[in-house]
Each structure stands twice: as structure tokens, then as C-alpha cells.
Amino acid sequence: MTDSVVCGLIGAGIGPSLTPSLHEVEGARQGLDYTYRRIDLDQLGSTVADLPRLVRDARDLGFRGLNITHPAKQAVIECLDELAPDAARLGAVNTVLFDEGRTIGYNTDWTGFGRNFDRGLPGARVDRVVQLGAGGAGAAVAYAMSTRETRNLVIVDYERARARRLADAMAVLFPAARIDSADPADLPELLTDANGLVHATPMGMAEHPGSAVPAALLRPDLWVAEVVYRPLDTELLRAARNVGARTLGGGGMAVYQAVDAFRLFTGIEPDADRMYAHLTDLVRREELEAVR
Ligand code: NAD
């Protein structure tokens, strides 16, 4: 055993998060004495206003790093000494590293989506992409697609102003691309000449059953990438497979954001396939318990 590693997750309502288990089990398999704590704002009766104190306490108590989730990904930036360039451009941090007294923010949501995309849909054409959902996951996904040379990205959300804000922000960051927003009613036309569709709304989760995309709009030559991973297989993915389209599930994004954070925390390259198998196991177990 090497020195102990203590990390944590700050967010609200994070009881069901699978990230602590992904880190701890992989840490043990790497021979580390690795502890990953939940720091739940709701349970502590805290808000984002308490973040400076919580981050400082974690650093002073010898934590190696923190993951940050809703609603703290933007607010945590005020608590940092330094920001990795991509996290600064994206304006969101999901990983904080304590490095020789300095507190440094990273974003592994977008790298997680990107690595999952490259691995799961190799060779996919990305010139024209339609993205559904302009929330937190949507921002990471839009950034990842833009770094993969998407020339034409259209962001669709039924909160039209949200879609416009994200498209405008991405257009500033990636001036060589054409990045627009549109209304869900425009989907049939938008998808006609798209290479791929990225789904980043909560539709398809147990609490939001169904699909945000009518099956009739799917085609064999339109790849579909999903961010929802609870369940691992969604109605949208099934419909896309049914028409013979290439698909990518959301589980890989959840795993790779943890893979990239684990590497930052420990300096060790974790076994991504083993972590993916672990995530699959955790989600399947959850699904079985839900139907009992
Ligand atoms: P969010 O609430 O911040 O944003 C969701 C957006 O989707 C909102 O802007 C909403 O208006 C829009 N929307 C909802 N239904 C829609 C529909 N039918 N048509 C058009 N727009 C619609 O949520 P988020 O944090 O971005 O999370 C979205 C999903 O991504 C959740 O299911 C979450 O679990 C998942 N997620 C996955 C990962 C991963 O690692 N795979 C990471 C983060 C989030």
C-alpha cells in the first residue's frame, strides 16, 4: 500500500451518485488505500455560498482532490487558484486538484464525452451534428463536439433561450464553426442532412420516460450518441439500433469523466474497461432493485 488517498464529491442530493464507488473500487484494484467521500450540500444544510469553506477544509484536511457536481460547477471557480485552459473556456469545473498548496480546477465532463465518443464511434463523420439539450451535460458535449471538428452544430432545447445562450457561447469559442440554436419543432428538417445526433436531455431516464426524438426521424446513416446512462439502454438507443444506426450509450461518458479525474488525483492510469464493467454492474443492480 502507498500513502492513503482521500477524495470527495461536492454537490446537492448526491446520495445516488455512482462516482464514489467507481473511484474507490478502482483505487483498491490499483493497490491504493483510496477513500472517496460524499459531501452533500443538502445533508449538510449548506449551499453554494459555503463552497469556499468546504473546499478550503478539504484541502486543509489533506484531501487529494474533489469532484464537483450540480449546483456547484460554476460557483466553485471562485474558490480556485488556477483553472485548466479548457475549464476556463467552458466556465465549468467538475474536478479540483490540491497540488502543493494550489487549488486547480479541471473539467473532465467534456473530455469524458469526447474520449467515449472517439472510442465508441470511431471514424464517425462529425461535420454536421444536431444536439438536443443545452443544460450542464449539453455544454460539455457541445464543447467536445466542437473540438472534434464539427463544422456545423445546431443546439436544440425547448428552453429556446438556453439553447441560444449555449450556441452563442460556443460560437465565440469556436469561430471557425457554424454553431446555431433551433427549436425542437425544427428537428425533422435539421436531421435530414445531419451526420449525427447527440442527445443530452433527461428524457429516457426512469423519471422522464420516452424519447425526445421521434423514431421516424432516425436513419441508418445517422449515428446517435446518448448521455443518459440510468438506464444504460434508452428508448432512443433502441429505436436507433432498430433502424440500423450506429449508437453510443451514455455510460462511457460517466466512466471516462471518472477515469480522467482518477488520473489527475492519483497520477495512475486507471483501467477504463474494468471501470466500465463496474458501472454496468452498478446500474443493472439498480434496475433490478427498481422492478422488485
Ligand atoms: P439539465 O437539466 O441541466 O439540462 C437538460 C436540458 O434539456 C434543459 O435545458 C431542458 O430544457 C432540456 N430538455 C429536456 N427535455 C427536452 C426535450 N424533450 N426536448 C428538448 N429539450 C429538452 O440536465 P443535465 O445536467 O444537462 O443532464 C441531462 C442528462 O444528462 C441527465 O439525464 C443526466 O443524468 C445526464 N448526464 C449524464 C452524464 C454522463 O456522464 N453520462 C453526465 C451529466 C449528465
Side-chain angles (χ1 to χ4, degrees), residues 234-246:
T234 61
E235 190 172 314
L236 172 62
L237 289 175
R238 283 192 293 277
R241 280 200 308 272
N242 279 344
V243 298
R246 296 175 76 190

Side-chain angles (χ1 to χ4, degrees), residues 19-30:
T19 300
S21 178
L22 287 180
H23 278 260
E24 282 195 339
V25 170
E26 181 60 18
R29 286 171 171 166
Q30 294 284 352

Side-chain angles (χ1 to χ4, degrees), residues 198-269:
V198 184
H199 175 253
T201 89
M203 289 286 290
M205 298 180 76
E207 314 84 87
H208 304 278
S211 168
V213 186
L217 300 182
L218 303 172
R219 324 181 294 270
D221 60 341
L222 178 79
W223 54 258
V224 174
E226 175 69 279
V227 304
V228 171
Y229 65 102
R230 281 161 134 167
L232 286 166
D233 200 21
T234 61
E235 190 172 314
L236 172 62
L237 289 175
R238 283 192 293 277
R241 280 200 308 272
N242 279 344
V243 298
R246 296 175 76 190
T247 60
L248 180 70
M253 177 183 183
V255 167
Y256 277 107
Q257 64 76 24
V259 164
D260 290 350
F262 188 99
R263 188 188 317 100
L264 284 166
F265 294 154
T266 64
I268 294 170
E269 185 65 42

Side-chain angles (χ1 to χ4, degrees), residues 102-120:
R102 293 190 67 71
T103 305
I104 309 166
Y106 297 86
N107 188 303
T108 70
D109 287 327
W110 82 270
T111 56
F113 180 85
R115 289 188 57 186
N116 186 42
F117 186 89
D118 296 343
R119 182 174 175 271

